[in-house]
Amino acid sequence: MTIRNLDRLLKPTSIALIGASRRERSVGQVVARNLFNAGFDGPIMPVNPKERSIEGVLAYPSVADLPMVPDLAVIATPPHTVPGLIAELGERGTKSAIVISAGFAELGEEGMRLQQQVLDAAKPHLLRIIGPNCLGVMVPSWGLNASFVHVPPLKGDIALVAQSGAVVTSIVDWATPKGIGFSHLISLGAMADVDFGDLLDYLAQDSGVRAICLYVEAVTHARKFMSAARTAARSKPVIVIKAGRSEEAAKAASSHTGALAGADEVYDAAFRRAGMLRVGELDELFDAVETLATGVKIEGDRLAILTNGGGIGVLATDALITGGGRLAELSPETIQKLNGVLPPTWSRGNPVDIIGDANGKRYADALKILLEDRGCDAVLVLNCPTAVADSEEAARAVVEVLSHRTGGGIRRAPVLTSWLGEYAAADARKLFTQARIPDYATPNQAVRAFMHLVRYRRNQELLMETPPSVPEQFEVDMKSARALVDRALEEGRSWLSEYEAKEILRAYGIPAVQTVVAATPAEAERAAKRLGGRIALKILSPDIIHKSDMGGVALNLSPAQVWAEAEAMLERMRSAVPDARIEGFTVQEMAHRPGAHELIVGMVDDMLFGPVILFGQGGTSVEVVDDKALALPPLNMNLAKEMMCRTRVNRLLQGYRSRPAADQDAIALALIKVSQLVTDFPEIAELDINPLFADEAGVLALDARIRVAKPKLVGKATSRLAIRAYPKKLEHKAVLRDGREFLIRPIRPEDEPLIHEMVANTAMEDLRLRFFAPMKRLSHQMAARLTQIDYDREMALIAACRVPDEAGGQREAIYGTVRITADPDNERAEYAVLVRTEMKGKGLGYLLMREILAYAKSRGIREVFGEVLRENTSMLGLCRELGFHHHDNPDDPGIVEVSYRF
């Protein structure tokens, strides 16, 4: 379940407190005090068999004695009583509960059994549970404080969801004297039922929530979390703190990839892919909220620094470079303009040091000029108090400049401020607060806030950027790869041989050095001479493959000498692995790629998020160099190249001195092919290509290792992915009544140009009927939203066919599209359909509607619905023909509601 009955939990109309108490400082007494004093507009019914009243309100002996069915039950009784209470409440009709009681999964096996009994009692009644072992829930605007927090929170528009109750109390204690308020404060505790994914779905739809903050210790249900997080991050800032960064949290692995892909880095990759912003500390959390929630858009990472003190400008510069930002390079025109308004002793560069005696006019003149420079993505204005200038006057000047930006011709680039000191800066900070201009206590904090904007923009671009359609298309030989994987599993082997691993890479179009297997020394010698390669001997055991790197030809060792060395090694191994045996010779061609970069591409199967792709600098010192980036599959060209950009070796790949740049597309395509391989084969548990040679001619896999295991999840190959991959199986041909054939397939992110073309070839009236408003074209944001869908919750099918292109060949064009967007519970889905004007009346709309209804039924969706303008008679007629029910919209007579139930 996701958001079902969460409204009863977070906006209840009646509450029962079971375990209410009058005993001073008990949980039941504190929760009762908070509940009765938060301004809740509804009945609160304390339950305690030993008390006549709690907080001056009549108490009831038991749940059975309650005079009405509560929307929400707050439970603070001993753990062994909770399953029975949940069952009793569920039978009476209660739909939500907060279990504050501890003593469940955190105590081990017995506690886990008790927790499962709670869930089993709730399930038949669809009763939602927060907890157990939680602080509680607070919704200040609703007058709800069902918690044992010591300080009542203020009303606001920031939602905080945390696993730790201690974090919630600390944040409330810190935020209240600062005047920071909240829309929701939710302590999840053990997350037996309601989890982060559920609340992200709920809070994303709440217009009273400006930003969402998460304190995460662990995520459950990775795919649900990723779908909910990506949806929420599209609509409002989502900022996350993740506890548990230590290496001890990373699982052990037997490959380079496994050793490099720690658990914290995997979480980092997931947060980035979801479009969220990760911060490190609690104080940074609210700085990020205030910065992002202003809605200011940033175009890049180039910062101009305006300061009246050289030292603080240097400090800000150090913080910027260390944080991964860049100093803006001022244009010659900007330098010339600044020369005209600043004293001769100004710094003549960035940071723009306007000298310690700078008055308000000097600040205003310099700021206007910097805002005109398109090479500056943002401006940081610094001020340190001096005896010869007025800090408040400088602040007023900044406020005045920014207040005239609307309609005044001044560019709306982000401006951040940092007025140092306490006494001298106090009035200035009040001015900035009143004008909603971000202000920070120190230059470092201000630069950190700027980098929040930069990182947030980068993560949002991953959600919205349109990938190119080429050169991603490639053919695979899945049959050959499947045979190799199946044979290894049938033989009880965990690791494929080097030959098998490289054959699988070749099946997916990844170039690899030629490798052959020889059964005898003579065969090995002939193969080595033919390939100009080296001989290696394989020693095989069920769990270990050890390769001797002694080369027969390269090192002038005969196969017999290699064999003798291997037999000696085998004797040493048998004490630990008794059934180890010599398998045979492997002969690999010598790869001569002088000047090629050694890279690593790999995959490890994370226990929570499933497959994780790794890229970085490879070679024998890969763990020591530790230059890598992680990403969740599936990948496209944009995601692959963004991943590459997060490594140090990427700068070398651009070329330097006399070395040409490596083929960036070939490297990115290799990452995409590995992503596709592990998507297609759930049996692949680990994969290493190390090194992957890369130069201007392309890529070449020199060595490869693949470990296989029976899939943990039975069913579809993509079930283990945290992000559902493109469902290629839905592709098929369909023929209209006039014999015209179309390819029906799911939409892809790279279809955005085709969607723009389709809209351009659709009459404005047809677009108005579809989008309920006149329009000529789609914005990039809207087109990206229509093409970059979450296949787990949405589905958009297109009808495409081949048409002539300008070069005399053929290209794909889209003639119609239909989509459904399901609610998080997968119960109801809203549909929308559009066909090009020239295809109206030819049966394409009917075909697409039947296709999407069949898909909805296959996903278990119970109802498909939509809103149709009453004047759209063709769509209303189509709905009648398909069996939709029609209803008048009570709020708008111009709209007809249509629904189809399965």
Side-chain angles (χ1 to χ4, degrees):
M1 292 188 288
T2 52
I3 64 171
R4 196 177 310 174
N5 291 329
L6 290 190
D7 54 337
R8 307 282 190 94
L9 181 68
L10 300 174
K11 289 186 176 181
T13 59
S14 57
I15 302 172
L17 173 56
I18 305 168
S21 175
R22 299 177 66 175
R23 182 164 52 86
E24 194 66 26
R25 295 187 177 275
S26 67
V27 171
Q29 185 264 337
V30 176
V31 175
R33 182 190 65 204
N34 286 342
L35 269 176
F36 281 105
N37 290 280
F40 180 72
D41 185 17
I44 300 174
M45 300 168 283
V47 176
N48 187 320
K50 298 179 180 179
E51 300 287 353
R52 292 185 60 190
S53 66
I54 303 288
E55 292 287 321
V57 175
L58 179 68
Y60 300 91
S62 67
V63 169
D65 293 307
L66 291 173
M68 62 186 299
V69 177
D71 276 350
L72 169 64
V74 183
I75 301 176
T77 61
H80 69 273
T81 66
V82 176
L85 288 170
I86 292 292
E88 189 175 1
L89 288 161
E91 288 168 3
R92 288 205 61 180
T94 299
K95 294 300 181 184
S96 67
I98 300 169
V99 181
I100 292 175
S101 314
F104 292 89
E106 73 274 12
L107 296 186
E109 209 169 303
E110 185 176 344
M112 291 178 68
R113 283 196 296 268
L114 188 62
Q115 185 166 297
Q116 187 59 48
Q117 290 172 21
V118 173
L119 293 176
D120 293 343
K123 187 174 181 180
H125 312 289
L126 300 180
L127 190 154
R128 306 307 305 278
I129 295 173
I130 278 190
N133 190 19
C134 70
L135 176 79
V137 171
M138 290 159 277
V139 185
S141 63
W142 199 253
L144 176 64
N145 187 347
S147 77
F148 57 96
V149 71
H150 64 298
V151 178
L154 302 177
K155 294 180 184 179
D157 52 14
I158 300 170
L160 172 68
V161 183
Q163 280 174 276
S164 167
V167 167
V168 174
T169 58
S170 299
I171 287 177
V172 171
D173 191 77
W174 173 85
T176 301
K178 295 180 180 295
I180 298 173
F182 299 88
S183 62
H184 303 75
L185 290 135
I186 302 169
S187 164
L188 287 174
M191 293 198 304
D193 173 23
V194 176
D195 60 13
F196 286 110
D198 300 330
L199 290 166
L200 281 168
D201 276 324
Y202 183 89
L203 296 170
Q205 300 175 22
D206 191 327
S207 60
V209 177
R210 180 171 54 124
I212 303 171
C213 301
L214 307 179
Y215 172 84
V216 177
E217 292 174 1
V219 163
T220 55
H221 309 295
R223 180 175 287 188
K224 182 175 76 169
F225 173 80
M226 291 299 295
S227 293
R230 294 170 81 196
T231 298
R234 287 181 186 274
S235 62
K236 57 194 67 175
V238 182
I239 302 103
V240 58
I241 292 180
K242 168 66 175 70
R245 291 172 172 267
S246 65
E247 285 300 316
E248 288 76 10
K251 71 186 184 76
S254 50
S255 67
H256 293 302
T257 303
L260 291 170
D264 188 68
E265 288 88 353
V266 176
Y267 270 99
D268 207 47
F271 297 149
R272 182 182 297 107
R273 185 67 177 273
M276 304 157 78
L277 175 67
R278 182 177 183 177
V279 297
E281 305 294 340
L282 288 177
D283 64 334
E284 189 181 359
L285 182 72
F286 289 99
D287 282 351
V289 169
E290 289 306 303
T291 305
L292 297 180
T294 60
V296 173
K297 303 297 181 185
I298 195 169
E299 297 178 358
D301 60 357
R302 301 166 300 178
L303 180 66
I305 300 172
L306 175 61
T307 177
N308 70 339
I312 59 173
V314 172
L315 289 174
T317 301
D318 286 343
L320 177 69
I321 303 306
T322 302
R326 290 187 294 165
L327 273 177
E329 185 174 339
L330 303 182
S331 69
E333 293 80 9
T334 296
I335 297 289
Q336 184 177 357
K337 289 178 182 177
L338 289 171
N339 282 336
V341 299
L342 297 180
T345 53
W346 82 279
S347 60
R348 299 182 186 276
N350 188 15
V352 179
D353 182 359
I354 60 176
I355 313 305
D357 63 349
N359 57 17
K361 184 178 183 305
R362 197 182 297 173
Y363 264 99
D365 291 342
L367 179 57
K368 288 177 186 176
I369 293 169
L370 291 175
L371 288 172
E372 291 172 359
D373 191 329
R374 292 283 173 180
C376 301
D377 297 310
V379 180
L380 169 59
V381 187
L382 304 176
N383 179 273
C384 58
T386 69
V388 294
D390 188 335
S391 293
E392 184 181 350
E393 178 192 340
R396 287 189 185 279
V398 171
V399 171
E400 183 72 13
V401 169
L402 299 184
S403 67
H404 287 90
R405 287 204 290 185
T406 303
I410 301 175
R411 190 163 63 99
R412 294 191 62 83
V415 174
L416 300 89
T417 64
S418 177
W419 257 234
L420 278 72
E422 287 298 328
Y423 176 77
D427 290 336
R429 287 175 183 153
K430 290 178 183 177
L431 290 172
F432 292 137
T433 299
Q434 292 168 0
R436 295 185 64 83
I437 297 171
D439 177 68
Y440 304 91
T442 67
N444 277 18
Q445 289 178 338
V447 169
R448 186 174 69 179
F450 169 71
M451 291 310 300
H452 288 159
L453 287 170
V454 171
R455 285 163 44 211
Y456 182 70
R457 166 184 167 270
R458 288 171 181 166
N459 293 351
Q460 287 290 300
E461 283 181 346
L462 294 181
L463 289 177
M464 303 295 289
E465 196 171 14
T466 304
S469 57
V470 291
E472 289 188 27
Q473 304 302 318
F474 56 91
E475 297 294 326
V476 302
D477 182 3
M478 188 178 287
K479 184 178 180 181
S480 297
R482 168 57 61 195
L484 291 166
V485 170
D486 288 348
R487 184 173 67 186
L489 290 174
E490 289 168 4
E491 294 175 0
R493 290 188 284 126
S494 297
W495 289 95
L496 303 186
S497 69
E498 183 180 356
Y499 169 79
E500 292 169 326
K502 289 177 180 174
E503 286 299 299
I504 287 180
L505 296 184
R506 289 194 188 93
Y508 273 73
I510 301 172
V513 294
Q514 188 175 353
T515 303
V516 298
V517 176
T520 66
E523 286 181 23
E525 191 166 24
R526 287 194 296 270
K529 289 178 180 177
R530 184 175 72 252
L531 297 176
R534 65 179 186 180
I535 302 173
L537 198 70
K538 290 293 185 185
I539 299 177
L540 181 70
S541 79
D543 300 310
I544 297 173
I545 292 183
H546 182 91
K547 183 182 72 178
S548 165
D549 283 328
M550 295 166 289
V553 171
L555 299 182
N556 297 317
L557 291 177
S558 69
Q561 289 173 303
V562 176
W563 187 279
E565 289 283 349
E567 283 188 320
M569 188 180 300
L570 188 64
E571 286 300 316
R572 293 194 295 270
M573 288 178 61
R574 277 187 171 140
S575 60
V577 189
D579 52 353
R581 65 186 185 277
I582 294 178
E583 182 187 43
F585 291 97
T586 297
V587 183
Q588 176 180 291
E589 69 173 312
M590 292 296 286
H592 299 286
R593 299 287 286 265
H597 300 275
E598 288 191 343
L599 306 175
I600 180 172
V601 173
M603 167 266 174
V604 66
D605 196 4
D606 182 75
M607 63 179 66
L608 176 63
F609 288 99
V612 181
I613 307 297
L614 176 140
F615 169 80
Q617 185 170 345
T620 55
S621 60
V622 60
E623 283 93 355
V624 177
V625 173
D626 194 24
D627 176 26
K628 88 277 186 176
L630 304 182
L632 301 183
L635 298 179
N636 57 36
M637 289 298 285
N638 283 345
L639 293 170
K641 288 187 174 180
E642 186 276 336
M643 183 183 182
M644 292 161 58
C645 287
R646 286 187 277 118
T647 61
R648 299 189 300 275
V649 73
N650 189 64
R651 296 182 63 183
L652 300 178
L653 298 176
Q654 312 301 315
Y656 56 95
R657 294 185 179 177
S658 60
R659 292 187 64 173
D663 188 336
Q664 304 281 299
D665 285 347
I667 300 169
L669 192 55
L671 286 165
I672 292 169
K673 289 173 178 178
V674 169
S675 168
Q676 186 64 50
L677 171 61
V678 301
T679 297
D680 291 342
F681 286 88
E683 297 89 350
I684 295 180
E686 285 186 67
L687 179 150
D688 264 353
I689 305 173
N690 183 32
L692 176 73
F693 282 166
D695 56 20
E696 70 276 13
V699 298
L700 180 68
L702 186 64
D703 200 1
R705 303 181 74 208
I706 295 177
R707 183 171 68 85
V708 295
K710 290 184 179 179
K712 301 173 187 174
L713 298 174
V714 179
K716 301 175 183 176
T718 58
S719 297
R720 66 176 178 162
L721 298 178
I723 301 172
R724 191 181 182 202
Y726 173 81
K728 188 176 178 62
K729 69 172 188 176
L730 295 180
E731 293 182 355
H732 65 281
K733 299 288 181 66
V735 181
L736 296 184
R737 293 188 297 266
D738 62 4
R740 189 168 180 178
E741 185 177 79
F742 287 89
L743 171 65
I744 307 297
R745 65 167 175 82
I747 203 165
R748 293 190 293 245
E750 52 266 37
D751 288 328
E752 183 181 335
L754 302 185
I755 288 293
H756 284 297
E757 179 194 42
M758 175 188 167
V759 169
N761 286 279
T762 302
M764 287 184 63
E765 177 63 9
D766 292 334
L767 293 176
R768 184 184 71 82
L769 294 175
R770 158 65 177 87
F771 293 103
F772 286 33
M775 60 188 310
K776 293 182 180 179
R777 60 183 180 272
L778 299 178
S779 65
H780 162 65
Q781 287 76 13
M782 178 177 276
R785 184 67 192 88
L786 294 175
T787 54
Q788 299 180 30
I789 65 173
D790 184 330
Y791 296 117
D792 206 47
R793 295 188 173 181
E794 305 170 80
M795 183 52 64
L797 301 175
I798 65 167
C801 66
R802 309 294 293 180
V803 298
D805 64 16
E806 295 177 356
Q810 286 195 323
R811 64 177 180 84
E812 194 175 44
I814 297 175
Y815 282 82
T817 178
V818 65
R819 70 181 54 243
I820 56 170
T821 303
D823 63 23
D825 296 321
N826 205 48
E827 291 282 319
R828 303 177 74 235
E830 186 173 11
Y831 86 89
V833 62
L834 178 68
V835 298
R836 280 170 59 158
T837 302
E838 67 193 83
M839 294 302 299
K840 288 181 67 176
K842 297 184 179 181
L844 183 58
Y846 181 85
L847 170 67
L848 288 171
M849 286 296 294
R850 289 196 54 151
E851 292 278 353
I852 206 68
L853 288 173
Y855 172 79
K857 184 178 181 180
S858 73
R859 286 297 305 269
I861 292 170
R862 296 184 180 182
E863 181 183 11
V864 173
F865 69 95
E867 293 185 340
V868 183
L869 290 174
R870 192 173 295 277
E871 61 195 281
N872 193 350
T873 54
S874 60
M875 175 53 65
L876 292 174
L878 174 58
C879 288
R880 287 191 185 92
E881 189 176 354
L882 289 165
F884 278 72
H885 296 287
H886 292 219
H887 313 278
D888 292 333
N889 185 311
D891 300 319
D892 189 340
I895 292 177
V896 178
E897 297 175 350
V898 296
S899 61
Y900 185 99
R901 293 191 65 84
F902 296 100

